[in-house]
């Protein structure tokens, strides 16, 4: 079993839908540029901590994604102290219900890591995604790779 953990210091992002474009009679789907930009951020964050030069597994993988949304300015008083609602958010009593959706957050991250950690995201057997508040936005990723016993 191998464990990989890293953090993306960016606001949580949900993958956008493909955009259809019509040229003559043909319709093409293109990946929005913001998807490509975020996927590059995810890949860079992973590559900074990667220890193996050429590592892509065929084994089953568990993925845990913890998306943290930074507190809004309204959660602070004029003197910089955290308000009651801000404290409730940090304590996990109030949780973010705004976009992006958990499934879109996971899709952006899992697609970005395909070819870097796993060959295909169908290898993900367990996926946990949570959204919480924190003082600053970030996404923490924890990946557990289970050794494939069939080959040994």
């Amino acid at each position: 079993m191998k464990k990989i953990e890293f953090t993306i210091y960016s606001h949580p992002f949900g993958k956008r839908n493909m955009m259809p474009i019509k040229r003559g009679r043909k319709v093409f789907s293109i990946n929005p540029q913001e998807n490509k930009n975020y996927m590059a951020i995810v890949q860079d964050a992973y590559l900074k901590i990667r220890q193996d030069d050429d590592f892509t597994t065929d084994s089953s993988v568990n993925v845990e994604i913890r998306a943290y949304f930074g507190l809004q300015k309204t959660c602070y008083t004029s003197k910089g102290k955290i308000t009651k609602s801000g404290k409730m958010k940090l304590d996990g009593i109030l949780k973010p219900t705004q976009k992006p959706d958990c499934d879109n957050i996971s899709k952006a991250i899992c697609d970005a890591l395909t070819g870097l950690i796993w060959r295909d995201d169908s290898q993900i057997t367990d996926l946990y995604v949570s959204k919480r508040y924190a003082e600053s936005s970030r996404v923490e990723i924890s990946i557990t790779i289970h050794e494939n016993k069939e080959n040994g």
Side-chain angles (χ1 to χ4, degrees):
M1 189 163 68
K2 181 175 182 172
K3 192 150 190 150
I4 300 168
E5 295 181 317
F6 62 99
T7 301
I8 302 163
Y9 295 98
S10 171
H11 188 76
F13 175 82
K15 188 168 184 180
R16 310 285 193 255
N17 291 329
M18 299 291 271
M19 297 180 345
I21 293 183
K22 188 174 182 180
R23 291 204 177 127
R25 291 183 176 192
K26 295 198 179 215
V27 177
F28 301 90
S29 292
I30 63 166
N31 195 6
Q33 188 61 44
E34 52 197 350
N35 285 352
K36 295 175 187 176
N37 294 345
Y38 188 74
M39 289 172 71
I41 291 169
V42 173
Q43 292 167 349
D44 287 346
Y46 168 67
L47 291 172
K48 284 180 184 171
I49 62 99
R50 184 164 104 172
Q51 296 170 354
D52 299 319
D53 289 335
D54 187 23
F55 171 77
T56 306
T57 187
D58 288 318
S59 301
S60 66
V61 180
N62 295 359
V63 179
E64 182 177 346
I65 300 168
R66 294 173 304 281
Y68 294 96
F69 293 80
L71 291 178
Q72 304 92 334
K73 290 180 183 178
T74 58
C75 292
Y76 295 95
T77 65
S78 59
K79 295 182 180 179
K81 293 191 177 190
I82 297 177
T83 63
K84 184 178 179 182
S85 67
K87 178 93 170 94
M88 290 173 68
K89 288 178 179 183
L90 290 177
D91 290 343
I93 297 167
L94 296 175
K95 296 176 184 171
T97 55
Q98 77 263 22
K99 297 228 180 236
D101 302 347
C102 284
D103 59 328
N104 291 332
I105 293 170
S106 68
K107 190 70 177 151
I109 292 168
C110 292
D111 284 353
L113 296 174
T114 296
L116 290 176
I117 299 177
W118 46 77
R119 297 200 192 287
D120 187 80
D121 53 8
S122 65
Q123 294 170 240
I124 300 170
T125 57
D126 295 283
L127 175 65
Y128 176 79
V129 183
S130 64
K131 296 189 325 186
R132 300 290 186 270
Y133 287 107
E135 289 195 36
S136 62
S137 296
R138 67 186 183 282
V139 180
E140 295 175 354
I141 300 168
S142 178
I143 298 167
T144 305
I145 298 168
H146 302 279
E147 298 302 319
N148 213 352
K149 301 294 183 199
E150 296 172 11
N151 296 338

